[in-house]
């Protein structure tokens, strides 16, 4: 986990990965670098800059190695990337990432659709990735990002006990963090509070981030209840787009701009400037001119009574 000394809540910006993998347009590398530069300038201190996957399947991610190298030059930015298998993890390690997230689906049908692996095969991949990290890249963090934890559009219901069993397996395999993702936007506040409370109880400091989608309008409500359960790291995407190409109906990450407004208005420091996020949003618009952007704050503004946490009212 990256440094949170100047903030109460860490916002991990996942747009350069989750957003760009969900659209058919490929953003030019130079423009992607400018976008990430603007995100960093806005105060975002953890950025998931891409994924190390097959270029044939996701050509939008073909330049991830170059993007990692660029992002590592930005002061104060903790650079993360997604890696679904050993080959991708090795590429990520060599590129210089500071953390990788391994997507591990609790729903086996989704695992087969997303990474073409059974649970047993995925466990072996995690085992090999941890062994490679331990032997050659000990400073790099490894997160298991558990997906479809609140339900799956392919399997249907996903039992909470199955989620906890998967989390324990990941901890036993040696990951540094276990995050929970609402891949298809099924989560409700009661589910979120109950499951994160159990995760914190079982795994302690290994219990990691919350990754919510706003597919059914529950994203920020889920943030509030996750906060109450002790979560301090939240994934979000500038402009609010994102989704899994292999999960039918998955769409809509929570909007970074709206999340910052919510947290700061509650007196929780994020270290992120909404005004500078809007600059990054314009860069994003230019890079993907035909893609819709979402969010209330960019249209409505913050209002005259708004002030950042720590500022005098």
């Amino acid at each position: 986990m990256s440094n949170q000394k100047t903030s109460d809540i860490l916002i991990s910006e996942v747009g350069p990965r989750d957003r760009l993998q969900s659209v058919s347009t490929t953003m030019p590398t130079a423009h992607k670098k400018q976008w990430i530069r603007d995100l960093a300038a806005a105060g975002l201190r953890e950025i998931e800059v891409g994924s190390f996957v097959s270029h044939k399947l996701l050509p939008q991610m073909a330049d991830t190695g170059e993007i990692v190298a660029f992002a590592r030059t930005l002061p104060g930015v903790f650079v993360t990337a997604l890696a679904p298998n050993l080959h991708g993890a090795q590429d990520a390690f060599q590129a210089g990432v500071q953390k990788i997230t391994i997507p591990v689906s609790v729903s086996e049908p989704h695992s087969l659709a997303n990474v073409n692996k059974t649970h047993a095969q995925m466990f072996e991949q995690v085992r090999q990735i941890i062994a490679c990290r331990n032997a050659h890249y000990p400073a790099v963090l490894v997160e298991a990002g558990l997906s479809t934890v609140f339900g799956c559009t392919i399997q249907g219901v996903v039992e909470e006990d199955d989620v906890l069993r998967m989390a324990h397996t990941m901890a036993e395999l040696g990951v540094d963090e276990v995050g929970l993702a609402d891949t298809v936007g099924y989560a409700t506040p009661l589910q979120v509070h109950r499951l994160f409370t159990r995760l914190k109880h079982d795994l302690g400091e290994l219990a990691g981030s919350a990754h919510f989608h706003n597919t059914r309008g529950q994203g920020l409500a889920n943030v509030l209840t996750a906060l109450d359960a002790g979560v301090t790291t939240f994934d979000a995407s500038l402009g609010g787009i994102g989704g899994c190409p292999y999960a039918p109906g998955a769409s809509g990450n929570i909007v970074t701009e709206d999340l910052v407004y919510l947290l700061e208005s509650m007196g929780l420091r994020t270290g992120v400037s909404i005004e500078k996020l809007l600059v990054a949003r314009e860069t994003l618009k230019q890079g993907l001119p035909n893609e819709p952007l979402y969010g209330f704050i960019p249209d409505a503004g913050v209002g005259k009574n708004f002030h950042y946490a720590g500022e005098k009212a």
Side-chain angles (χ1 to χ4, degrees):
M1 185 177 295
S2 59
N3 195 312
Q4 296 189 57
K5 290 182 180 178
T6 59
S7 63
D8 302 307
I9 302 297
L10 174 65
I11 296 177
S12 182
E13 174 60 44
V14 300
R17 193 274 302 175
D18 211 338
R19 162 177 265 283
L20 295 187
Q21 75 173 18
S22 67
V23 298
S24 58
T25 305
T26 298
M27 182 184 288
T29 301
H31 203 100
K32 194 183 294 188
K33 290 178 180 179
Q34 183 58 52
W35 180 30
I36 292 171
R37 184 184 291 112
D38 289 345
L39 292 170
L44 289 159
R45 290 294 170 255
E46 181 169 300
I47 304 176
E48 188 178 48
V49 300
S51 57
F52 287 87
V53 294
S54 168
H55 300 169
K56 293 181 180 178
L57 293 176
L58 288 175
Q60 306 95 314
M61 298 288 109
D63 59 358
T64 299
E66 181 177 347
I67 295 299
V68 167
F70 166 75
R72 287 300 307 270
T73 69
L74 300 174
V77 175
F78 192 77
V79 180
T80 80
L82 181 142
N85 50 44
L86 177 61
H87 178 71
Q90 290 171 329
D91 287 346
F93 293 150
Q94 292 167 10
V97 297
Q98 292 164 286
K99 182 175 85 172
I100 64 166
T101 296
I102 310 170
V104 182
S105 180
V106 183
S107 159
E108 194 161 50
H110 179 261
S111 182
L112 290 167
N114 190 39
V115 295
N116 195 31
K117 286 181 173 56
T118 64
H119 281 161
Q121 291 170 326
M122 200 63 209
F123 297 161
E124 182 58 27
Q125 288 291 304
V126 175
R127 185 177 293 109
Q128 292 178 23
I129 290 169
I130 294 296
C132 177
R133 186 279 302 271
N134 290 348
H136 304 292
Y137 305 94
V140 180
L141 297 179
V142 176
E143 175 192 35
L146 302 191
S147 58
T148 65
V149 300
F150 298 101
C152 173
T153 51
I154 304 173
Q155 172 178 303
V157 174
V158 174
E159 298 293 343
E160 289 184 9
D161 286 347
D162 291 340
V163 176
L164 270 295
R165 275 192 290 271
M166 185 72 78
H168 279 279
T169 298
M170 293 298 108
E172 291 164 3
L173 288 171
V175 302
D176 302 294
E177 301 174 20
V178 178
L180 301 185
D182 181 24
T183 312
V184 296
Y186 278 0
T188 64
L190 287 177
Q191 285 180 296
V192 168
H193 191 276
R194 189 168 58 238
L195 193 47
F196 270 104
T197 298
R198 293 184 65 185
L199 185 72
K200 288 279 186 182
H201 176 270
D202 285 13
L203 296 191
E205 292 184 357
L206 264 66
S209 63
H211 180 104
F212 296 128
H213 285 240
N214 200 42
T215 312
R216 291 166 181 82
Q218 301 299 299
L220 292 185
N222 288 332
V223 168
L224 288 175
T225 193
L227 283 169
D228 191 54
V231 178
T232 58
T233 301
F234 293 90
D235 293 353
S237 174
L238 193 79
I241 200 169
C244 174
Y246 305 105
S251 63
N253 285 77
I254 54 175
V255 179
T256 305
E257 302 94 307
D258 292 351
L259 177 61
V260 172
Y261 177 81
L262 171 70
L263 296 172
E264 291 283 347
S265 67
M266 293 173 63
L268 297 170
R269 297 172 302 158
T270 66
V272 181
S273 163
I274 293 174
E275 293 78 9
K276 291 182 179 179
L277 282 180
L278 298 183
V279 173
R281 186 180 173 102
E282 287 302 314
T283 301
L284 176 57
K285 282 183 181 179
Q286 295 166 14
L288 296 176
N290 297 318
E291 297 296 334
L293 300 182
Y294 303 97
F296 291 99
I297 293 305
D299 291 331
V302 297
K304 293 182 179 179
N305 294 328
F306 173 79
H307 59 89
Y308 289 96
E311 291 183 347
K312 293 183 179 180

